[in-house]
Amino acid sequence: TQLLEQSPQFLSIQEGENLTVYCNSSSVFSSLQWYRQEPGEGPVLLVTVVTGGEVKKLKRLTFQFGDARKDSSLHITAAQPGDTGLYLCAGAQPDSSYKLIFGSGTRLLVRP
Amino acid sequence: DAGVTQSPTHLIKTRGQQVTLRCSPKSGHDTVSWYQQALGQGPQFIFQYYEEEERQRGNFPDRFSGHQFPNYSSELNVNALLLGDSALYLCASRRSGKTEAFFGQGTRLTVV
């Protein structure tokens, strides 16, 4: 059974601080996707990383896929209150289904 | 371009009843997956439909069934509802051969 462990589960930081969220597994994924979810709404896709070692930047967010395609990280620079939300990583199963295996999420609170 | 749309947004049902949830995929997408997200957890894969057939199924009982129509829209049916079926039900669509999945806003099902 493929599992994705996400850490930390909860993070409360001051505006302007940096943070990193980790997503780890013992399984290989064909790609890894990061989502952000607001309460009562569906996850919104932030980025998809496909190649081992790949790094993608989205403004102040930097996403990295591990060389072995088993882990990923999300780094936020100079966090802002608007970054508050639930961040989910999801690995796509390496077969034609591309079924997503989700981590349990990191709830981020950025205090003004 | 409309994204993934789900209906209804909220639903309250009594234990033992049956429910049908609906999903229209993003334009150009032909593969639809359904996920269940319990409070405080990441989404769990229920099943996936492609070419009007169930292609892969997660660890959910036969009370959960689905259908995909020729226009790629999909339904999720749950029979004999249990209190534990209360959750946010998410529909995700993607283009076959691509790993990126886009989610709808979800249907919040409450079983009383």
Side-chain angles (χ1 to χ4, degrees):
Chain A
T1 304
Q2 292 180 297
L3 290 172
L4 259 180
E5 293 186 1
Q6 198 170 334
S7 63
Q9 289 187 320
F10 182 75
L11 201 52
S12 178
I13 61 172
Q14 204 70 36
E15 181 177 0
E17 293 183 356
N18 302 330
L19 67 117
T20 302
V21 177
Y22 299 94
C23 196
N24 296 293
S25 175
S26 59
S27 304
V28 175
F29 295 103
S30 61
S31 70
L32 200 133
Q33 298 168 39
W34 285 91
Y35 294 87
R36 180 175 145 183
Q37 186 177 25
E38 302 294 336
E41 297 182 9
V44 175
L45 181 65
L46 296 175
V47 78
T48 300
V49 284
V50 179
T51 307
E54 183 176 6
V55 177
K56 281 191 173 179
K57 292 191 175 183
L58 186 67
K59 297 183 181 177
R60 294 175 294 99
L61 278 61
T62 302
F63 304 85
Q64 185 164 6
F65 202 12
D67 291 341
R69 292 187 292 133
K70 294 182 179 180
D71 53 84
S72 182
S73 64
L74 157 61
H75 182 78
I76 300 179
T77 303
Q80 299 177 1
D83 295 327
T84 293
L86 178 67
Y87 289 82
L88 293 161
C89 63
Q93 192 164 279
D95 60 26
S96 60
S97 77
Y98 296 138
K99 159 188 164 183
L100 293 179
I101 308 296
F102 278 86
S104 56
T106 294
R107 189 160 298 282
L108 172 64
L109 173 64
V110 182
R111 306 185 306 275
Chain B
D1 174 28
V4 181
T5 58
Q6 292 185 243
S7 63
T9 55
H10 296 84
L11 204 51
I12 299 176
K13 287 287 189 178
T14 303
R15 190 171 48 183
Q17 285 188 315
Q18 177 265 344
V19 69
T20 298
L21 310 182
R22 295 176 176 82
C23 171
S24 291
K26 186 176 168 67
S27 178
H29 289 187
D30 54 9
T31 303
V32 174
S33 299
W34 287 91
Y35 291 80
Q36 181 195 66
Q37 186 176 25
L39 209 57
Q41 298 182 20
Q44 299 291 315
F45 176 80
I46 302 175
F47 42 53
Q48 180 182 101
Y49 278 84
Y50 171 67
E51 291 186 332
E52 301 179 50
E53 289 188 13
E54 183 182 296
R55 298 293 177 167
Q56 189 159 118
R57 189 178 184 91
N59 189 25
F60 280 80
D62 292 344
R63 299 187 296 109
F64 289 77
S65 63
H67 190 77
Q68 186 180 35
F69 300 93
N71 67 352
Y72 309 119
S73 66
S74 176
E75 287 182 350
L76 164 65
N77 300 292
V78 187
N79 294 323
L81 285 166
L82 303 174
L83 296 180
D85 295 331
S86 296
L88 181 66
Y89 287 85
L90 296 163
C91 170
S93 74
R94 63 177 178 84
R95 194 186 305 267
S96 57
K98 300 291 185 183
T99 64
E100 280 191 335
F102 295 83
F103 284 80
Q105 81 280 13
T107 294
R108 169 68 63 187
L109 172 65
T110 302
V111 182
V112 297

